[in-house]
């Protein structure tokens, strides 16, 4: 959604890096580019003017001129202003002191109200609530049926006494106001603590729609009125939001289709223009693609600083704690990381949802966005198919997988043998890394990681200095033991400090026949 805006802002901030002091011309140029980027993203003109004025005023102040790193200070100012126009703080649902809590959804037709009703119901159920969906959209064809399907998928009951219309040629006959009122009474009688009222929409703002929405609001006296708006609507989002605010006085905004490829100006305009906070965001087509809207996290995403907190929350929600404890114990006991463990970890990652979405939450993801867009998530399914085509013995001892076994595995998983070879090579590297980490060696190639202290020499890479022997046979035996123990190349125990080979007999190493010729003996 915000790829274009992120690219423009990131390119703008690059020119500020490394400057020890920013002149007024530097700040004017930066603010000018920020203004252009926001207008190009379809942000409302009044919001852009206010945003640019605040950034320029703060950038010319003491907090930048006296900063040790003025470029980073300007980025911080832009981040603060983005958080401000997005609503400032995270807004939670106001629950009624005496249940049920009534939540009314309003918005244009096509904004995604009915789908969002199912998403909100499933989210509330996961929070420990017992929601009830009420079908008050009796005018759009099959709207009631769609809500019932979403309710079944979410595991939430639906109150739908009237079937609504089944085609565009039928005229609505039911009374949505009475359905809403009876739905709240039904929830109170059956002890549901939350009621979600799905109302009808129109293709445009008109008096009849607003009057019906206002009548439903007066009948059920909702605790929350959520205005559902399509995040891809563009500049017209402001006019639509103002009309609904005047008509039904909504209390919060829900952004739908936030995973689209439009420029996303609605998300940056509605909260600032209406003064009502964005509370939730719909980020996909499935019922699980729903999240609480955090202004600070969204600002971090726009500035390509990542959203690690949301990533952690998704992991905590979907990760199997028992499996995590099992892997932690296995890691602590220095047991081998097997393909069975690898398969279990992949299944845990798949529970978290789209891997591509998770990668976009990492800091600096915009830099490698082209690679992320080309990433094929089906590759995970192919790898899982390869592992499942192996026997249990092969998963626990991958070294026994020879050529014939690889051909059988490739045929069973529907891939080429080369893909099986690549997967096994990558797994072998991962297995080596896990062994090194379990032994306290740290992550390979990561400066400052455990096992890479100041005492690690450039030649030895931090390895323990091996004992020297005057007896060539003992030296050769020590080298062979080190090779078997570390699965590495032969150590330098048989060599002097200057790198010159000492005299020894290869026969003492118990090498295969013909290997003496390889050593030049």
């Amino acid at each position: 959604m915000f790829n274009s805006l992120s690219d423009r802002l990131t390119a703008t901030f690059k020119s500020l890096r490394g400057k020890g002091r920013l002149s007024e011309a530097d700040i004017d140029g930066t603010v000018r580019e920020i203004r252009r980027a926001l207008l190009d993203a379809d942000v409302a003109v009044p919001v852009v003017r206010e945003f640019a004025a605040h950034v320029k005023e703060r950038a010319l102040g003491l907090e930048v001129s006296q900063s040790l790193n003025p470029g980073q200070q300007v980025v911080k100012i832009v981040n603060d202003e983005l958080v401000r126009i997005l609503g400032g703080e995270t807004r939670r649902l106001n629950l009624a002191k005496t249940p049920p809590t009534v939540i009314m959804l309003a918005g244009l037709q096509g904004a995604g109200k009915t789908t969002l009703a199912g998403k909100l119901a499933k989210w509330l159920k996961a929070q420990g609530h017992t929601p009830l969906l009420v079908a008050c959209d009796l005018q759009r064809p099959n709207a009631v049926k769609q809500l019932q399907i979403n309710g079944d998928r979410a595991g939430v009951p639906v109150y739908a006494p009237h079937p609504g219309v089944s085609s565009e040629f039928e005229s609505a006959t039911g009374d949505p106001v009475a359905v809403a009122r009876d739905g709240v009474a039904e929830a109170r009688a059956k002890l549901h603590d939350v009621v979600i009222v799905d109302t009808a929409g129109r293709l445009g703002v008109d008096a009849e729609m607003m009057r019906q929405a206002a009548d439903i609001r007066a009948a059920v006296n909702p605790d929350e009125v959520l205005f559902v708006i399509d995040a891809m609507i563009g500049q017209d989002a402001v006019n639509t939001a103002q009309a609904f605010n005047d008509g039904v006085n909504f209390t919060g905004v829900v952004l739908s289709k936030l995973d689209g490829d439009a420029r996303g100006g609605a998300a940056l305009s509605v909260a600032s223009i209406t003064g009502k906070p964005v509370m939730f965001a719909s980020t996909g087509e499935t019922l699980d693609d729903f999240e609480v809207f955090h202004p600070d996290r969204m600002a971090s995403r726009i500035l390509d600083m990542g959203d690690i907190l949301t990533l952690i929350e998704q992991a905590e929600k979907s990760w199997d704690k028992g499996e995590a404890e099992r892997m932690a114990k296995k890691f602590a006991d220095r047991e081998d990381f097997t393909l069975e463990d690898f398969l279990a970890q992949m299944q845990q990652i798949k529970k978290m949802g789209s891997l591509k979405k998770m990668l976009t939450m990492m800091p600096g993801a915009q830099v490698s966005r082209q690679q992320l867009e080309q990433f094929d998530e089906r590759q995970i399914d192919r790898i899982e198919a390869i592992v499942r085509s192996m026997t249990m013995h092969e998963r626990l001892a991958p070294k026994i997988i020879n050529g014939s076994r690889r051909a059988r595995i490739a045929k069973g998983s529907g891939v080429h043998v080369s893909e099986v070879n690549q997967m096994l090579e990558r797994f072998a590297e991962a297995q080596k890394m896990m062994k090194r980490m379990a032994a306290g060696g740290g992550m390979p190639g990561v400066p400052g990681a455990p096992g890479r202290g100041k005492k690690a020499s450039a030649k030895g890479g931090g390895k323990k200095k091996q004992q020297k022997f005057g007896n060539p046979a003992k030296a050769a035996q020590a080298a062979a033991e080190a090779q078997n123990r570390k699965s590495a190349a032969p150590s330098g125990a048989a060599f002097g400090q200057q790198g010159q080979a000492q005299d020894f007999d290869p026969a003492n190493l118990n090498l295969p026949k013909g290997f003496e010729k390889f050593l030049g003996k």
Side-chain angles (χ1 to χ4, degrees), residues 9 17 19 86 98 127 161 298 368 465-466 514 519:
L9 293 178
R17 293 178 181 174
K19 290 191 176 183
L86 287 171
T98 303
Q127 303 294 316
M298 183 57 66
S368 56
K465 187 176 180 181
Q466 296 185 3
L519 294 175

Side-chain angles (χ1 to χ4, degrees), residues 431-445 450-452 461:
Q431 196 176 41
K432 289 179 181 179
M433 184 186 70
M434 297 292 285
K435 286 182 179 180
R436 177 168 180 173
M437 293 176 62
M443 290 287 289
R452 299 181 62 91

Side-chain angles (χ1 to χ4, degrees), residues 5-47:
L5 179 59
S6 297
D7 291 342
R8 294 283 296 271
L9 293 178
T10 302
T12 300
F13 296 142
K14 280 184 179 179
S15 61
L16 302 179
R17 293 178 181 174
K19 290 191 176 183
R21 184 176 181 182
L22 296 181
S23 64
E24 186 172 351
D26 293 331
I27 294 175
D28 287 339
T30 301
V31 173
R32 189 183 309 114
E33 290 300 321
I34 293 174
R35 186 186 299 114
R36 290 174 179 173
L38 293 173
L39 290 173
D40 186 60
D42 269 346
V43 180
V45 175
V47 178

Side-chain angles (χ1 to χ4, degrees), residues 16 19-22 64-65 67-75:
L16 302 179
K19 290 191 176 183
R21 184 176 181 182
L22 296 181
V64 171
S65 61
S67 173
L68 295 177
N69 194 324
Q72 291 183 359
Q73 195 66 27
V74 172
V75 175

Side-chain angles (χ1 to χ4, degrees), residues 106-321:
L108 294 178
Q109 182 175 322
K113 292 189 306 300
T114 304
T115 302
L116 190 129
K119 293 182 177 183
L120 179 59
K122 186 173 182 180
W123 181 81
L124 286 168
K125 184 179 179 182
Q127 303 294 316
H129 297 282
T130 55
L132 173 69
L133 290 166
V134 178
C136 295
D137 186 355
L138 307 180
Q139 298 173 345
R140 181 170 63 86
N142 294 316
V144 175
K145 184 66 175 178
Q146 181 186 358
L147 187 66
Q148 290 173 333
I149 293 174
N150 288 334
D152 290 339
R153 291 175 178 174
V156 174
V158 178
Y159 180 75
H162 195 286
V165 298
S166 58
S167 70
E168 59 184 348
F169 302 104
E170 295 183 26
S171 57
T173 57
D175 184 2
V177 178
V179 171
R181 187 186 301 110
D182 295 342
V184 175
E186 175 79 2
R188 188 175 291 109
K190 295 188 176 180
L191 303 180
H192 292 278
D193 65 343
V194 179
V195 180
I196 301 174
V197 181
D198 180 31
T199 63
R202 294 289 190 280
L203 296 177
V205 177
D206 57 39
E208 181 185 353
M209 178 186 66
M210 288 300 176
R211 182 171 60 254
Q212 184 185 103
D215 291 343
I216 293 176
R217 178 183 177 115
V220 300
N221 191 23
D223 301 279
E224 295 279 10
V225 179
L226 301 183
F227 172 54
V228 183
I229 186 169
D230 188 341
M232 300 190 293
I233 197 173
Q235 289 280 353
D236 195 47
V238 175
N239 298 330
T240 305
Q242 287 179 329
F244 271 89
N245 195 29
D246 295 337
V248 297
N249 189 26
F250 58 82
T251 59
V253 179
V254 180
L255 294 174
S256 65
K257 307 177 186 178
L258 203 61
D259 58 323
D261 55 0
R263 289 172 285 188
L268 300 176
S269 305
V270 173
S272 181
I273 292 292
T274 64
K276 303 299 175 63
V278 180
M279 297 177 60
F280 298 100
S282 175
T283 58
E285 296 180 358
T286 67
L287 295 184
D288 292 320
D289 296 327
F290 180 80
E291 61 186 42
V292 177
F293 187 87
H294 300 277
D296 53 343
R297 301 183 190 181
M298 183 57 66
S300 295
R301 292 189 199 181
I302 294 173
L303 296 179
D304 197 22
M305 294 188 292
D307 188 0
I308 301 298
L309 290 177
T310 299
L311 191 60
I312 292 173
E313 288 177 357
Q314 289 184 2
E316 290 179 341
K317 180 174 64 175
S318 59
W319 204 263
D320 187 347
K321 294 183 179 179

Side-chain angles (χ1 to χ4, degrees), residues 300-369:
S300 295
R301 292 189 199 181
I302 294 173
L303 296 179
D304 197 22
M305 294 188 292
D307 188 0
I308 301 298
L309 290 177
T310 299
L311 191 60
I312 292 173
E313 288 177 357
Q314 289 184 2
E316 290 179 341
K317 180 174 64 175
S318 59
W319 204 263
D320 187 347
K321 294 183 179 179
E323 176 64 21
E325 292 175 357
R326 185 187 71 84
M327 282 302 303
K329 185 178 184 302
K330 189 168 188 177
F331 187 77
D333 294 341
R334 299 189 184 183
E335 297 180 18
D336 284 341
F337 182 69
T338 66
L339 281 166
E340 187 69 16
D341 299 325
F342 181 62
L343 179 62
Q345 296 300 301
M346 287 185 59
Q347 291 172 339
Q348 294 293 322
I349 292 175
K350 288 179 66 175
K351 288 181 182 179
M352 295 176 61
S354 170
L355 185 59
K356 188 181 295 185
K357 284 185 179 181
M358 290 188 288
L359 292 174
T360 57
M361 295 182 189
M362 301 297 292
Q366 293 295 332
V367 178
S368 56
R369 189 177 71 248

